[in-house]
Amino acid sequence: MFLHGFARLTLMSAVLLLTSVVAAQAQVARDRVETFLEITGFDVALESIRLSADAAPQMLGVEADDFGSEWQRLVGEVFETELMHEMAADVIERAMTPEQLDHAVAFYSSDLGQRLVAAENRSHLIDEDGLKTESGGAILEGLRGIDSPRVDLLERLNAASGSEDATVRAIQEVQIRFLLAAAGAGVIDLTMDEPDLREAMTEGEEELRENLRRGAMEGAAYTYQAFSDPEVEAYAEALEHPLMQEAYALMNAVQYEIMANRFEAVADRLRQMQPSQDL
C-alpha cells in the first residue's frame, strides 16, 4: 500500500514538474515574441492600423463624419491596441522561428536599428493629413532634381521591405473581405458575387500598384530623411538577409490579416449603426 501510494505521489510530482517546465518554456517563447514586437517597433506599426479605419466608410460610399461621434467610439473599440497586439503575438509565436526572431532583434537593437525604429514609429502614427505625402514628395523631387543616388537606395529599401505583388493582393483581400462582410451584415447591397468582385478588383490593379509605389517612395523619403546614404544602404542590406526577408514576409502577412479581421468586425458592428450627425 505504501509503495503504491509512493509511486502515485512520484508520478504526480513528475507530472507537476513537466507541467512547470512546459509553462516555463512557453513563457520564454512568449517573452521572446514580446521583445521582438517592442525592439522592432512592430507593436507601434499595429497601432497605426487604426488610421486605416477612415477608409472603411469610403468603401461603402459614405463618410466617417456621417456617423458622428459613434464612429470614433466604434474605431476605438474594434481597433483596440491590446487586442491587436495579442492577435499578432499569438500568430508570431506560432509561425516565426527563434532564429528569425533573434536575427531581427539583433539588428534592431543596434544603435542604427534603434534610431530607425524611432523614426519609423513617428512616421507610422502620423495621421493621413497630407504631411508625409507632401513632404516626402518634395524631398523626392529635390533628390531627383540633383540626380541623387538616394532615390535608388530608397527604391532598394522599399523592395526589401516586402513584395509589391503580395502587398497588392493583401490590400485587395482586405477590401473584398470587408465588402463581403458588410453585405452579409446587411449594411450594403452587393450586386455581384465574390468571383465577380475579385475580377472587378483586378481592373484597378495597375492604378493601385502605381499609388502604392509612389506612396512608398514618398513615405520612405520622409521617414529616413535624417539618415545618411550609407545608413540607408546598410538598412537595405540588413532587410535583404534571408532571415529578415522571412520575418518581414510574416510581419506583413500578420498586419494585413489583422486589418482584414478588424474591418470584418467593423462591418458587423455597422449593422447596429445608422449614419447620424451630432446635435
Side-chain angles (χ1 to χ4, degrees):
M1 190 72 173
F2 172 77
L3 289 176
H4 178 71
F6 179 76
R8 184 169 58 184
L9 182 61
T10 301
L11 178 60
M12 290 177 60
S13 297
V15 170
L16 289 172
L17 178 61
L18 179 59
T19 302
S20 177
V21 169
V22 171
Q25 291 175 338
Q27 187 59 52
V28 168
R30 190 65 168 201
D31 289 346
R32 177 184 272 123
V33 170
E34 293 295 340
T35 298
F36 168 84
L37 291 173
E38 179 181 359
I39 294 294
T40 62
F42 191 50
D43 54 348
V44 177
L46 291 173
E47 290 182 39
S48 70
I49 291 177
R50 184 187 291 109
L51 300 179
S52 69
D54 288 340
Q58 295 171 15
M59 284 190 232
L60 304 179
V62 297
E63 295 294 330
D65 289 345
D66 294 340
F67 293 97
S69 61
E70 285 295 293
W71 176 254
Q72 291 305 319
R73 182 177 64 82
L74 181 148
V75 169
E77 293 174 359
V78 173
F79 292 85
E80 201 272 321
T81 301
E82 188 59 32
L83 172 63
M84 294 190 293
H85 180 100
E86 289 302 311
M87 292 172 66
D90 288 343
V91 175
I92 289 173
E93 185 175 358
R94 293 194 304 269
M96 199 172 288
T97 67
E99 291 76 18
Q100 292 165 346
L101 289 167
D102 292 344
H103 181 84
V105 168
F107 172 76
Y108 282 108
S109 60
S110 67
D111 176 68
L112 173 60
Q114 282 299 280
R115 289 193 292 115
L116 287 164
V117 168
E120 289 169 352
N121 285 350
R122 288 192 297 270
S123 182
H124 281 315
L125 297 179
I126 292 177
D127 289 330
E128 294 298 327
D129 59 0
L131 172 62
K132 195 188 310 186
T133 297
E134 292 177 9
S135 298
I139 292 170
L140 275 177
E141 184 177 356
L143 292 173
R144 287 171 174 146
I146 60 174
D147 198 23
S148 171
R150 177 79 158 209
V151 176
D152 290 337
L153 287 175
L154 292 176
E155 289 179 345
R156 179 181 170 188
L157 186 64
N158 282 334
S161 299
S163 163
E164 183 179 287
D165 287 340
T167 301
V168 169
R169 297 289 174 264
I171 291 175
Q172 290 175 335
E173 192 65 24
V174 169
Q175 294 174 332
I176 290 169
R177 285 173 58 176
F178 176 59
L179 291 173
L180 291 175
V187 177
I188 60 172
D189 292 323
L190 199 59
T191 59
M192 59 181 74
D193 55 21
E194 183 175 343
D196 291 335
L197 182 58
R198 292 185 179 278
E199 179 64 26
M201 286 287 180
T202 63
E203 295 178 5
E205 189 170 302
E206 284 309 309
E207 182 180 358
L208 174 60
R209 285 180 184 276
E210 180 57 34
N211 289 338
L212 287 173
R213 214 173 281 136
R214 183 175 61 252
M217 285 295 290
E218 292 169 346
Y222 176 85
T223 302
Y224 306 112
Q225 58 185 298
F227 294 85
S228 68
D229 286 355
E231 287 174 330
V232 173
E233 184 173 18
Y235 192 20
E237 289 178 355
L239 293 182
E240 288 165 350
H241 189 284
L243 284 174
M244 195 76 91
Q245 285 285 290
E246 294 165 1
Y248 254 76
L250 181 58
M251 285 192 289
N252 289 336
V254 168
Q255 187 164 351
Y256 281 114
E257 174 57 31
I258 291 175
M259 187 182 296
N261 178 279
R262 294 296 82 200
F263 268 56
E264 287 174 331
V266 165
D268 186 61
R269 290 282 296 273
L270 282 178
R271 85 168 81 202
Q272 305 167 18
M273 297 174 59
Q274 293 294 329
S276 63
Q277 293 292 335
D278 289 337
L279 296 178

